[in-house]
Amino acid sequence: MKKKVLSILFIIILISAISLVIFFNGGTGKDKEKSLVYAEYGAIDPVDIWLATDTHYIAPELTDNGQFYQKMVNSGDGKYMYGCEELTDAFIEEVVEAHPTALILAGDLTFNGAKISHEAFAQKISPIEQAGIPIIAIPGNHDLTINRAAKFHGNDYELFDSIDATEYIDIYGEYGLNEAIARDDTSLSYVTEIAPNLRVIVVDVNTVPGMSGILTKATLEFVEEQLIDAANNHAYVIGVTHQTLLVHSELTSQGITFINNDK
Protein backbone atom coordinates (compact mmCIF):
# COMPACT_ATOMS: atom_id res chain seq x y z
CA MET A 1 0.00 0.00 0.00
CA LYS A 2 2.85 2.36 0.91
CA LYS A 3 4.57 1.62 -2.43
CA LYS A 4 1.32 2.39 -4.31
CA VAL A 5 0.96 5.75 -2.55
CA LEU A 6 4.56 6.64 -3.35
CA SER A 7 4.02 5.70 -7.00
CA ILE A 8 0.97 7.96 -7.21
CA LEU A 9 2.91 10.83 -5.60
CA PHE A 10 5.76 10.33 -8.07
CA ILE A 11 3.34 10.48 -11.01
CA ILE A 12 1.77 13.68 -9.67
CA ILE A 13 5.21 15.28 -9.18
CA LEU A 14 6.25 14.20 -12.71
CA ILE A 15 3.08 15.66 -14.28
CA SER A 16 3.58 18.90 -12.33
CA ALA A 17 7.18 19.16 -13.51
CA ILE A 18 6.18 18.61 -17.15
CA SER A 19 3.42 21.22 -16.80
CA LEU A 20 5.89 23.78 -15.43
CA VAL A 21 8.31 23.13 -18.29
CA ILE A 22 5.51 23.59 -20.85
CA PHE A 23 4.33 26.77 -19.06
CA PHE A 24 7.72 28.43 -18.94
CA ASN A 25 8.60 27.40 -22.49
CA GLY A 26 5.36 28.68 -23.98
CA GLY A 27 3.74 25.29 -24.60
CA THR A 28 4.27 22.77 -27.37
CA GLY A 29 3.04 22.64 -30.95
CA LYS A 30 -0.16 24.62 -31.47
CA ASP A 31 -0.11 25.93 -27.87
CA LYS A 32 3.40 27.30 -28.38
CA GLU A 33 2.32 29.11 -31.57
CA LYS A 34 -0.62 30.62 -29.66
CA SER A 35 1.58 31.88 -26.81
CA LEU A 36 3.97 33.47 -29.31
CA VAL A 37 1.05 35.36 -30.85
CA TYR A 38 0.05 36.64 -27.41
CA ALA A 39 3.66 37.64 -26.70
CA GLU A 40 3.68 39.88 -29.79
CA TYR A 41 0.86 41.96 -28.31
CA GLY A 42 3.04 43.07 -25.44
CA ALA A 43 2.04 44.25 -21.99
CA ILE A 44 -0.73 46.73 -21.27
CA ASP A 45 -1.10 49.02 -18.30
CA PRO A 46 -3.32 47.68 -15.49
CA VAL A 47 -7.02 48.46 -15.89
CA ASP A 48 -9.91 48.25 -13.44
CA ILE A 49 -13.13 47.32 -15.27
CA TRP A 50 -16.44 47.09 -13.43
CA LEU A 51 -19.41 45.10 -14.77
CA ALA A 52 -23.06 45.45 -13.81
CA THR A 53 -25.87 43.55 -15.48
CA ASP A 54 -29.64 43.22 -15.12
CA THR A 55 -30.09 46.41 -13.15
CA HIS A 56 -33.81 46.32 -14.16
CA TYR A 57 -34.32 49.93 -13.15
CA ILE A 58 -37.91 51.14 -12.88
CA ALA A 59 -38.75 54.84 -12.64
CA PRO A 60 -40.36 55.64 -9.25
CA GLU A 61 -43.49 57.07 -10.87
CA LEU A 62 -44.23 53.70 -12.53
CA THR A 63 -45.01 51.81 -9.32
CA ASP A 64 -46.64 52.39 -5.97
CA ASN A 65 -45.40 48.97 -4.76
CA GLY A 66 -49.02 47.90 -4.64
CA GLN A 67 -50.55 44.42 -4.66
CA PHE A 68 -50.19 43.73 -8.37
CA TYR A 69 -46.56 44.83 -8.47
CA GLN A 70 -45.62 42.82 -5.37
CA LYS A 71 -47.33 39.69 -6.67
CA MET A 72 -45.59 40.03 -10.04
CA VAL A 73 -42.15 40.52 -8.47
CA ASN A 74 -42.58 37.73 -5.91
CA SER A 75 -43.74 35.22 -8.53
CA GLY A 76 -41.16 36.31 -11.12
CA ASP A 77 -37.69 35.05 -11.95
CA GLY A 78 -35.85 36.32 -8.89
CA LYS A 79 -35.27 39.96 -9.78
CA TYR A 80 -34.92 41.96 -6.59
CA MET A 81 -37.00 45.04 -7.32
CA TYR A 82 -37.71 46.35 -3.83
CA GLY A 83 -35.47 49.30 -2.98
CA CYS A 84 -34.53 49.69 -6.66
CA GLU A 85 -34.01 53.44 -6.33
CA GLU A 86 -31.82 53.18 -3.22
CA LEU A 87 -29.78 50.29 -4.63
CA THR A 88 -29.13 52.15 -7.88
CA ASP A 89 -28.11 55.34 -6.07
CA ALA A 90 -25.75 53.40 -3.79
CA PHE A 91 -24.18 51.63 -6.76
CA ILE A 92 -23.58 54.88 -8.66
CA GLU A 93 -22.02 56.46 -5.58
CA GLU A 94 -19.71 53.46 -5.17
CA VAL A 95 -18.63 53.52 -8.83
CA VAL A 96 -17.80 57.23 -8.71
CA GLU A 97 -15.83 56.78 -5.49
CA ALA A 98 -13.85 53.78 -6.78
CA HIS A 99 -13.28 55.45 -10.18
CA PRO A 100 -12.62 52.34 -12.33
CA THR A 101 -11.14 52.57 -15.82
CA ALA A 102 -14.58 51.80 -17.27
CA LEU A 103 -18.03 50.53 -16.32
CA ILE A 104 -19.80 47.96 -18.50
CA LEU A 105 -23.59 47.80 -18.24
CA ALA A 106 -24.42 44.48 -19.86
CA GLY A 107 -28.13 44.74 -20.59
CA ASP A 108 -31.59 44.60 -19.05
CA LEU A 109 -30.97 48.15 -17.97
CA THR A 110 -34.66 48.59 -17.17
CA PHE A 111 -37.61 46.64 -15.87
CA ASN A 112 -39.58 45.70 -19.00
CA GLY A 113 -38.27 48.55 -21.13
CA ALA A 114 -40.58 51.47 -20.34
CA LYS A 115 -39.34 54.61 -22.09
CA ILE A 116 -39.77 56.63 -18.87
CA SER A 117 -37.49 54.19 -17.04
CA HIS A 118 -34.85 54.36 -19.77
CA GLU A 119 -34.80 58.15 -19.73
CA ALA A 120 -34.63 58.23 -15.93
CA PHE A 121 -31.87 55.60 -15.78
CA ALA A 122 -29.75 57.34 -18.43
CA GLN A 123 -30.01 60.58 -16.45
CA LYS A 124 -29.30 58.82 -13.16
CA ILE A 125 -26.01 57.24 -14.34
CA SER A 126 -24.74 60.47 -15.92
CA PRO A 127 -22.61 61.41 -12.84
CA ILE A 128 -20.44 58.37 -13.65
CA GLU A 129 -19.53 59.76 -17.08
CA GLN A 130 -19.19 63.25 -15.61
CA ALA A 131 -16.60 61.82 -13.21
CA GLY A 132 -14.54 60.74 -16.22
CA ILE A 133 -15.51 57.05 -16.11
CA PRO A 134 -16.59 55.75 -19.53
CA ILE A 135 -19.80 53.71 -19.54
CA ILE A 136 -20.11 50.91 -22.09
CA ALA A 137 -23.79 49.95 -22.33
CA ILE A 138 -25.69 47.27 -24.23
CA PRO A 139 -29.45 46.54 -24.34
CA GLY A 140 -30.89 43.28 -23.06
CA ASN A 141 -34.00 41.32 -23.89
CA HIS A 142 -36.02 43.41 -21.40
CA ASP A 143 -35.07 46.77 -22.94
CA LEU A 144 -36.35 47.13 -26.52
CA THR A 145 -39.88 46.99 -28.00
CA ILE A 146 -41.40 45.37 -24.92
CA ASN A 147 -45.20 45.03 -24.84
CA ARG A 148 -45.08 44.55 -21.06
CA ALA A 149 -43.82 48.07 -20.29
CA ALA A 150 -46.28 49.35 -17.74
CA LYS A 151 -47.19 51.51 -14.78
CA PHE A 152 -48.35 49.57 -11.73
CA HIS A 153 -50.89 50.93 -9.26
CA GLY A 154 -52.87 49.11 -6.61
CA ASN A 155 -54.13 45.82 -8.01
CA ASP A 156 -53.87 46.88 -11.63
CA TYR A 157 -51.49 48.15 -14.33
CA GLU A 158 -51.47 50.48 -17.33
CA LEU A 159 -49.36 49.78 -20.43
CA PHE A 160 -46.74 52.40 -21.34
CA ASP A 161 -44.49 53.03 -24.35
CA SER A 162 -41.28 51.05 -24.72
CA ILE A 163 -38.37 52.07 -27.00
CA ASP A 164 -36.89 50.79 -30.26
CA ALA A 165 -33.26 50.73 -31.41
CA THR A 166 -33.37 54.30 -32.73
CA GLU A 167 -34.69 55.65 -29.43
CA TYR A 168 -32.07 53.60 -27.58
CA ILE A 169 -29.34 55.46 -29.50
CA ASP A 170 -30.94 58.81 -28.65
CA ILE A 171 -31.08 57.94 -24.95
CA TYR A 172 -27.84 55.99 -24.47
CA GLY A 173 -25.65 57.18 -27.36
CA GLU A 174 -23.13 58.84 -25.03
CA TYR A 175 -22.64 55.55 -23.18
CA GLY A 176 -20.41 53.74 -25.64
CA LEU A 177 -21.95 54.13 -29.07
CA ASN A 178 -20.86 57.69 -29.82
CA GLU A 179 -17.25 56.89 -28.88
CA ALA A 180 -17.17 53.62 -30.84
CA ILE A 181 -14.31 52.97 -33.25
CA ALA A 182 -16.64 50.66 -35.24
CA ARG A 183 -20.41 50.10 -35.33
CA ASP A 184 -22.60 47.39 -36.84
CA ASP A 185 -25.16 48.76 -39.32
CA THR A 186 -27.73 46.08 -38.48
CA SER A 187 -27.68 46.02 -34.68
CA LEU A 188 -26.49 47.99 -31.66
CA SER A 189 -23.19 46.10 -31.65
CA TYR A 190 -20.02 48.20 -31.54
CA VAL A 191 -16.35 48.28 -30.62
CA THR A 192 -14.75 50.76 -28.26
CA GLU A 193 -11.18 51.13 -27.04
CA ILE A 194 -10.83 51.70 -23.31
CA ALA A 195 -7.03 51.64 -23.19
CA PRO A 196 -4.21 51.38 -25.72
CA ASN A 197 -4.42 47.93 -27.34
CA LEU A 198 -7.49 46.97 -25.28
CA ARG A 199 -10.87 46.87 -26.99
CA VAL A 200 -14.36 45.91 -25.90
CA ILE A 201 -16.65 44.40 -28.54
CA VAL A 202 -20.30 44.70 -27.57
CA VAL A 203 -22.43 42.09 -29.34
CA ASP A 204 -26.13 43.00 -29.41
CA VAL A 205 -28.59 40.18 -30.16
CA ASN A 206 -31.78 41.96 -29.08
CA THR A 207 -32.36 44.67 -31.68
CA VAL A 208 -34.60 42.96 -34.23
CA PRO A 209 -38.26 43.02 -33.03
CA GLY A 210 -39.61 39.52 -32.49
CA MET A 211 -36.13 38.00 -32.75
CA SER A 212 -34.76 38.72 -29.29
CA GLY A 213 -31.74 36.61 -28.47
CA ILE A 214 -30.71 35.72 -32.02
CA LEU A 215 -27.22 36.42 -33.37
CA THR A 216 -27.88 37.36 -37.00
CA LYS A 217 -25.60 36.56 -39.93
CA ALA A 218 -24.85 40.25 -40.47
CA THR A 219 -23.84 40.82 -36.83
CA LEU A 220 -21.71 37.67 -36.85
CA GLU A 221 -19.87 39.02 -39.91
CA PHE A 222 -19.32 42.31 -38.09
CA VAL A 223 -17.86 40.43 -35.11
CA GLU A 224 -15.52 38.42 -37.36
CA GLU A 225 -14.33 41.57 -39.15
CA GLN A 226 -13.63 43.34 -35.86
CA LEU A 227 -11.74 40.38 -34.39
CA ILE A 228 -9.55 40.22 -37.49
CA ASP A 229 -8.94 43.97 -37.28
CA ALA A 230 -8.03 43.67 -33.60
CA ALA A 231 -5.59 40.85 -34.34
CA ASN A 232 -4.00 42.86 -37.15
CA ASN A 233 -3.52 45.75 -34.72
CA HIS A 234 -2.29 43.50 -31.89
CA ALA A 235 -5.17 44.55 -29.66
CA TYR A 236 -6.65 42.47 -26.87
CA VAL A 237 -10.43 42.03 -27.03
CA ILE A 238 -13.04 41.66 -24.27
CA GLY A 239 -16.36 40.38 -25.60
CA VAL A 240 -19.65 41.47 -24.00
CA THR A 241 -23.12 40.07 -24.62
CA HIS A 242 -26.29 40.18 -22.54
CA GLN A 243 -27.38 36.59 -23.03
CA THR A 244 -24.63 34.05 -22.34
CA LEU A 245 -22.29 32.67 -24.97
CA LEU A 246 -21.96 29.25 -23.33
CA VAL A 247 -24.56 26.91 -21.87
CA HIS A 248 -23.70 26.88 -18.17
CA SER A 249 -26.56 24.58 -17.20
CA GLU A 250 -29.07 22.56 -19.21
CA LEU A 251 -31.64 23.49 -16.54
CA THR A 252 -31.44 27.24 -17.17
CA SER A 253 -30.13 27.76 -20.71
CA GLN A 254 -33.47 28.38 -22.49
CA GLY A 255 -33.77 32.10 -23.16
CA ILE A 256 -30.48 32.74 -21.37
CA THR A 257 -27.94 31.51 -23.92
CA PHE A 258 -28.37 33.37 -27.22
CA ILE A 259 -29.38 31.51 -30.37
CA ASN A 260 -26.58 30.78 -32.88
CA ASN A 261 -24.05 30.96 -30.04
CA ASP A 262 -22.26 27.94 -31.56
CA LYS A 263 -21.28 30.07 -34.57
Side-chain angles (χ1 to χ4, degrees), residues 45-213:
D45 292 332
V47 292
D48 183 16
I49 302 170
W50 282 35
L51 169 71
T53 186
D54 295 74
T55 46
H56 287 287
Y57 180 78
I58 184 169
E61 59 265 39
L62 291 184
T63 178
D64 60 357
N65 290 307
Q67 278 186 307
F68 188 94
Y69 182 75
Q70 291 182 35
K71 183 179 179 181
M72 178 185 58
V73 170
N74 294 340
S75 61
D77 59 3
K79 290 188 284 290
Y80 187 80
M81 298 302 301
Y82 303 118
C84 173
E85 194 73 15
E86 292 81 3
L87 284 168
T88 304
D89 288 342
F91 171 69
I92 293 167
E93 186 178 332
E94 190 171 350
V95 173
V96 171
E97 184 178 348
H99 209 283
T101 307
L103 168 66
I104 296 173
L105 295 176
D108 280 2
L109 308 172
T110 62
F111 183 75
N112 290 346
K115 185 176 182 180
I116 292 174
S117 293
H118 278 297
E119 291 172 337
F121 186 65
Q123 181 62 35
K124 186 170 278 289
I125 61 177
S126 62
I128 297 174
E129 282 267 344
Q130 290 167 9
I133 306 162
I135 295 176
I136 300 165
I138 179 177
N141 56 302
H142 283 92
D143 287 323
L144 302 177
T145 321
I146 305 298
N147 58 13
R148 300 188 307 277
K151 176 178 181 178
F152 306 95
H153 44 84
N155 201 27
D156 203 357
Y157 68 92
E158 174 189 356
L159 291 178
F160 265 54
D161 289 337
S162 183
I163 64 170
D164 59 19
T166 301
E167 290 170 303
Y168 177 91
I169 295 171
D170 290 340
I171 296 171
Y172 293 104
E174 63 183 307
Y175 303 131
L177 277 163
N178 293 348
E179 293 78 32
I181 59 174
R183 286 171 62 168
D184 179 23
D185 294 333
T186 64
S187 74
L188 293 171
S189 303
Y190 63 95
V191 180
T192 187
E193 194 167 55
I194 60 174
N197 300 324
L198 179 59
R199 299 179 183 182
V200 174
I201 180 166
V202 172
V203 184
D204 163 42
V205 297
N206 294 297
T207 300
V208 183
M211 295 177 64
S212 180

